[in-house]
Amino acid sequence: MPPAKKMKFSLPRGQKTLTSMQFPTGLSSESSPEEGDTANIRGENADAESNNDETNHRDSIQAQSLSKEMNVAVAKMMTDHDVALIKAIKTVHWLANENLPLSKFESMMDFLKDIGTPSLHFLQVGNRIDYQSYYSANEFLHAISDVIEEKTTEKLQKSPFVTIFADESTDICNKKRMTMTARIINPENSRAQTVFLRDIEYESGTGEGLTSEITKELKLRNISLSKVLGFGSDGASVMTGLDKGVIGRLKELNPHILNIHCMAHRLALCTAQAANGIPALKRYQEFMTKLFYYFKVSADREKEVHKVQALLDHPMLKYKEIHAVRWLSFYDGLETIYKTLDPLLTYLHNREAKKDPKAKGLLKQMATTQFIYITYLMMDILPIVMRLCLTFQKDDLDVARAKISVDSCLHELEAFKEGKTFHTTFVEQFASDITEVDDHPEFKGHRIHKVPGANFQFPQKSLMDAFYVLSMRTINFSDTETYGVEEVNELLDYYGTSKSHKSAISQPVLCAEKVRNQWMLAKQIVKSARYPTDRMQDLWELLTKHHKEDLDELIKLAQIALTLPLHTASCERVFSQQNIILTKQRNSLAPKISDRLLRVRLRKYHPLVPCPNAW
C-alpha cells in the first residue's frame, strides 16, 4: 500500500493561536508547530478564563469549526486502499452476523462490484495479491475477533472483581464443549456487565480437566485468581463438588470463591421434582408427551384437528413437546391444551368412533374431571412461576431484585392456596364449566368421568439473603441505626476474614472495620440526599460517582454483590448461538473459527462502532 499521507491542519482565517478548549478530539498540544508559541497559548488561556460569556460563546463556535476541519483532514488521509479494506471487513462482519459461511465472501465481493460499489477494485493489489478470497475473509474475521477480545481483556483487567460462569454442552457432532462467560464491573461507576470469554472443545470432562481450561483462560488474559470471587454453574456434581469438582479445585487456589447454583436451573429442578412427587401430575406430563407424538407422526391428524379447532372458533395451535432441558417448557404445552380442550375432545371422540385405539387411550385419560381440574389449576400456578423464571434469566439481575421476585412469587402462591386472590381464578371457572347431567359430569357438552381431584399440597437463609440490604430498599421504613447491621456483619464474616480450603489460605478481601463505619455513613447519605433505591445498580452508581472517597471499602462490597453469578443464562444463550452456527452443513468448522464467529455474533455491533452501555 502507498505510505500514509501527512495531515495538514490549518486555522480559520484571522485566528493566530489555538486555545486549550479549541483542540478537537484526538489532537494533542504536540500538534502546535512552534514551541515558542506555547507561552502565547497559555497566556490566552488565562485571559479566556476572565472573558465574559460572549467570548466563551465565540470560542465554542470556533471549536466546532475546527472539529469539522479535523474530520475533513482525517477523511483525506484515508487512501482508496483503506476504504476498500474497510468495506471488505464490514462485509465479513455482516456475513458472520447473518450466519452465512465465509466461503460466500468472494462471490459477495463480486456481486458488490457488479452493482457498482466504488473502490472495491483497489482490493486487487497485484497480479497475485488480492483481499477478496476465502483466506482473506478468515484473516478479517480473525482481526475483528481479536479487537473484540482485546477490549474484553482490558475490561477484565480493569475490573476489581470477576465472577466466572461455566456450562457444558455437546454440539451437533456430539463433541464436548464448555462455554465460559464472566461478570465484571467498572470501578469508576460500579456498572456491571456480562462478557463472553470462550467456547472451547475439551477432552477431559473431569473436575480437574474443566478447572484446567478455566485457569488457562484466566492466565491467557493475565487475570489473577485472587480477584475471582464467584463461580456459577448449572449445579452438576462435576462443577459443584467440594473435593474433586471444579469449585473445590478453584477454592484450593482462592478459598474466598463463592459457589452459586444457577437460580433458573434450581427453579426448574424444583418444579420438576415437585411434579414427580404427585402421581397425578406425573401422569399428566406423560399424557402431554403421548399427545405430541400422536400428532407429530401424522400430518393428516394434525390437519384434521386444525379443521376442528377452526370450526369451533378456537385458535389453531400445534401441541407442544415437553423438553427437560428447557426451563418450564411444560407451560407452553399446558396453555395449548387449555385453549383447545373443547376441539381436542371433539376430535378424539370422532377418532374413537373410527376405531382408532390410540385416540381411545388418550380420550380415556383426558375425559376426566381430574385431568381438566389439573389443567385449570396449573393455568393458575404456572404463570406465577414463569414470571419468576423469566426474572432469573435477566442480564441485569441483582440479589435485591432476585429476593423481591422470590418473595412476591411465594406471596402469590400462598394467596392462591388460601383463596385470597383479587381476581377470578381458573379453578373457580372450573366449577362453572363442569355441569351435572343425568348424574354424570359434562364439560362443554362432552361426557366425562368423575375422578376425585388430586390432593395438592404446596410444599433458607443463606449468604445471598444478606446482600439484599445493600439495595437499601426499605431503609425509609426502618430504624437507620440498626438497619442492615446484622446482614453486613454476616457478609464481613465471609469477606472480612481470612478463608482456608484444604492447604490454601486467602487473606481478607475487605477491611471489616472500615466497612462497618462506612455502612453507617452510607445510610445517612442515602436518606439525606434521597437517592433512589428502586434499582441496586443505579444506587451504587450514584454513590460511586459522588462519594467514592468516603465509601471506598463499602463500594467494594457492593461491587462484589453486583457481580455475583446468580444464573448461567449467558452460557445458555451462547449455546443457542452455537447451535445456529454449527449446523448439518457446517459441522466441520474448526473450534477456533466457531469461537470467533460466536464472539462476533454475541457482540452484535461492529468493533469500530461503540456499543450501547459500553464502558
Side-chain angles (χ1 to χ4, degrees):
M1 288 188 180
K5 298 178 181 178
K6 294 184 178 180
M7 182 179 66
K8 295 182 180 179
F9 188 77
S10 60
L11 297 174
R13 183 176 299 176
Q15 184 175 331
K16 297 181 179 180
T17 57
L18 284 172
T19 64
S20 60
M21 69 175 291
Q22 291 170 334
F23 279 119
T25 304
L27 185 64
S28 67
S29 57
E30 294 176 357
S31 301
S32 54
E34 299 295 337
E35 185 176 347
D37 292 338
T38 305
N40 295 332
I41 295 174
R42 291 176 179 172
E44 290 195 13
N45 285 340
D47 293 338
E49 293 178 359
S50 60
N51 284 343
N52 55 22
D53 293 341
E54 183 179 351
T55 304
N56 291 336
H57 179 65
R58 185 176 64 251
D59 290 343
S60 178
I61 293 175
Q62 290 174 345
Q64 293 178 9
S65 174
L66 290 173
S67 179
K68 290 179 181 178
E69 289 196 13
M70 181 68 175
N71 292 334
V72 172
V74 171
K76 288 181 178 179
M77 289 181 62
M78 296 284 291
T79 67
D80 292 330
H81 295 278
D82 296 331
V83 173
L85 278 175
I86 289 175
K87 289 180 179 179
I89 291 172
K90 286 185 176 181
T91 302
V92 170
H93 186 266
W94 181 82
L95 288 171
N97 269 309
E98 295 298 322
N99 198 35
L100 296 173
L102 295 185
S103 58
K104 299 292 184 182
F105 175 70
E106 190 169 353
S107 61
M108 183 69 176
M109 298 308 293
D110 290 337
F111 169 71
L112 291 174
K113 287 180 181 179
D114 188 51
I115 62 175
T117 305
S119 304
L120 289 184
H121 62 278
F122 286 100
L123 292 174
Q124 186 75 36
V125 179
N127 293 331
R128 296 186 178 182
I129 302 174
D130 64 56
Y131 293 100
Q132 48 191 349
S133 65
Y134 169 75
Y135 302 100
S136 296
N138 268 316
E139 290 298 320
F140 293 148
L141 177 66
H142 192 176
I144 296 171
S145 176
D146 281 352
V147 170
I148 298 172
E149 194 163 6
E150 285 172 10
K151 292 182 178 179
T152 300
T153 301
E154 183 181 345
K155 291 179 181 180
L156 282 162
Q157 293 172 350
K158 185 180 178 182
S159 177
F161 306 108
V162 176
T163 58
I164 302 296
F165 308 82
D167 203 356
E168 301 169 272
S169 179
T170 54
D171 59 22
I172 194 170
C173 297
N174 205 30
K175 294 179 180 178
K176 296 181 289 186
R177 287 179 175 265
M178 180 172 67
T179 286
M180 288 177 276
T181 59
R183 186 82 171 160
I184 55 177
I185 197 158
N186 187 345
E188 302 300 325
N189 57 18
S190 293
R191 182 158 292 279
Q193 181 184 3
T194 302
V195 294
F196 170 70
L197 297 183
R198 192 81 60 195
D199 180 59
I200 60 168
E201 186 180 315
Y202 63 90
E203 294 295 331
S204 174
T206 63
E208 182 180 6
L210 297 177
T211 305
S212 174
E213 295 292 347
I214 294 171
T215 54
K216 186 191 302 180
E217 181 65 22
L218 293 173
K219 187 176 180 181
L220 181 66
R221 297 176 185 269
N222 198 24
I223 305 300
S224 171
L225 262 167
S226 61
K227 71 176 186 179
V228 178
L229 296 183
F231 177 73
S233 68
D234 60 358
S237 57
V238 71
M239 292 287 187
T240 58
L242 283 175
D243 185 18
K244 296 183 179 181
V246 173
I247 186 60
R249 295 180 183 276
L250 288 176
K251 276 184 171 291
E252 291 179 17
L253 304 172
N254 181 7
H256 268 106
I257 292 180
L258 182 67
N259 176 49
I260 298 178
H261 184 175
C262 170
M263 299 179 77
H265 278 91
R266 291 176 69 182
L267 178 63
L269 288 172
C270 175
T271 54
Q273 291 171 2
N276 289 337
I278 302 173
L281 276 179
K282 192 172 182 179
R283 289 194 297 270
Y284 192 97
Q285 292 184 72
E286 292 171 353
F287 169 85
M288 291 177 68
T289 301
K290 292 176 184 177
L291 184 67
F292 168 76
Y293 283 104
Y294 176 75
F295 287 107
K296 182 182 179 181
V297 297
S298 174
D300 290 337
R301 292 173 186 170
E302 188 168 305
K303 186 177 181 180
E304 288 172 6
V305 77
H306 284 169
K307 286 182 179 179
V308 177
Q309 291 171 353
L311 184 64
L312 297 178
D313 199 23
H314 281 65
M316 296 174 62
L317 302 175
K318 294 181 66 173
Y319 296 98
K320 311 291 178 60
E321 183 181 13
I322 301 177
H323 293 274
V325 295
R326 293 183 185 171
W327 295 322
L328 294 176
S329 62
F330 180 84
Y331 180 71
D332 291 334
L334 170 76
E335 188 178 33
T336 301
I337 290 176
Y338 169 76
K339 290 181 177 180
T340 61
L341 261 176
D342 187 8
L344 182 57
L345 285 168
T346 301
Y347 174 77
L348 291 178
H349 273 298
N350 292 337
R351 294 294 300 183
E352 182 190 28
K354 295 178 181 179
K355 307 299 182 183
D356 184 342
K358 291 185 178 179
K360 183 178 180 180
L362 290 171
L363 182 63
K364 183 179 179 180
Q365 188 173 351
M366 183 180 177
T368 65
T369 53
Q370 186 188 74
F371 180 93
I372 298 173
Y373 178 77
I374 290 175
T375 303
Y376 279 58
L377 176 66
M378 290 294 101
M379 284 298 295
D380 278 320
I381 294 175
L382 280 186
I384 300 172
V385 185
M386 277 294 294
R387 286 197 296 274
L388 181 62
C389 182
L390 293 174
T391 299
F392 283 167
Q393 299 174 45
K394 291 184 178 293
D395 282 335
D396 59 348
L397 181 69
D398 56 53
V399 285
R401 188 172 182 179
K403 180 175 172 56
I404 290 172
S405 298
V406 171
D407 292 344
S408 176
C409 179
L410 292 174
H411 176 75
E412 286 189 69
L413 291 174
E414 286 293 336
F416 175 77
K417 176 184 175 183
E418 296 172 7
K420 296 180 179 179
T421 56
F422 297 100
H423 56 84
T424 303
T425 64
F426 288 95
V427 168
E428 291 171 344
Q429 185 183 336
F430 169 80
S432 60
D433 286 347
I434 300 296
T435 56
E436 290 286 338
V437 179
D438 297 332
D439 296 329
H440 285 283
E442 284 192 0
F443 172 76
K444 297 182 179 181
H446 300 285
R447 186 170 179 174
I448 58 177
H449 302 286
K450 190 171 185 178
V451 178
N455 183 22
F456 294 99
Q457 298 292 331
F458 289 88
Q460 256 178 2
K461 191 177 177 182
S462 68
L463 187 65
M464 301 297 295
D465 295 306
F467 278 110
Y468 170 75
V469 295
L470 295 176
S471 68
M472 302 193 200
R473 285 179 181 263
T474 58
I475 191 171
N476 293 320
F477 308 99
S478 309
D479 178 24
T480 306
E481 290 294 321
T482 59
Y483 178 79
V485 172
E486 181 182 346
E487 288 82 358
V488 169
N489 285 331
E490 186 178 347
L491 293 172
L492 290 176
D493 285 341
Y494 189 85
Y495 293 105
T497 60
S498 58
K499 289 289 176 184
S500 62
H501 181 79
K502 296 184 178 179
S503 60
I505 299 176
S506 59
Q507 297 303 312
V509 178
L510 303 169
C511 175
E513 194 58 34
K514 277 188 177 182
V515 172
R516 290 189 181 96
N517 293 334
Q518 291 175 9
W519 174 243
M520 301 303 294
L521 176 61
K523 291 186 289 185
Q524 296 171 8
I525 291 173
V526 171
K527 291 199 73 170
S528 61
R530 297 183 179 180
Y531 283 151
T533 57
D534 54 327
R535 289 189 76 245
M536 186 174 175
Q537 175 72 76
D538 294 341
L539 172 64
W540 286 99
E541 189 171 351
L542 286 170
L543 290 172
T544 303
K545 182 178 180 180
H546 301 293
H547 309 279
K548 191 173 184 178
E549 294 182 358
D550 298 325
L551 305 175
D552 58 335
E553 205 69 10
L554 182 63
I555 287 172
K556 291 180 183 178
L557 181 60
Q559 289 174 342
I560 293 173
L562 290 168
T563 56
L564 287 174
L566 300 178
H567 59 69
T568 57
S570 58
C571 294
E572 301 295 337
R573 293 185 182 106
V574 174
F575 289 144
S576 297
Q577 294 297 325
Q578 171 191 285
N579 294 335
I580 292 173
I581 293 171
L582 295 173
T583 60
K584 290 181 179 179
Q585 290 75 26
R586 304 177 72 188
N587 57 24
S588 60
L589 272 178
K592 285 185 178 181
I593 301 296
S594 63
D595 178 71
R596 291 167 188 164
L597 289 169
L598 271 171
R599 186 167 289 103
V600 173
R601 282 181 62 85
L602 290 169
R603 192 177 190 272
K604 297 179 183 178
Y605 301 91
H606 194 277
L608 299 179
V609 178
C611 287
N613 302 322
W615 291 6

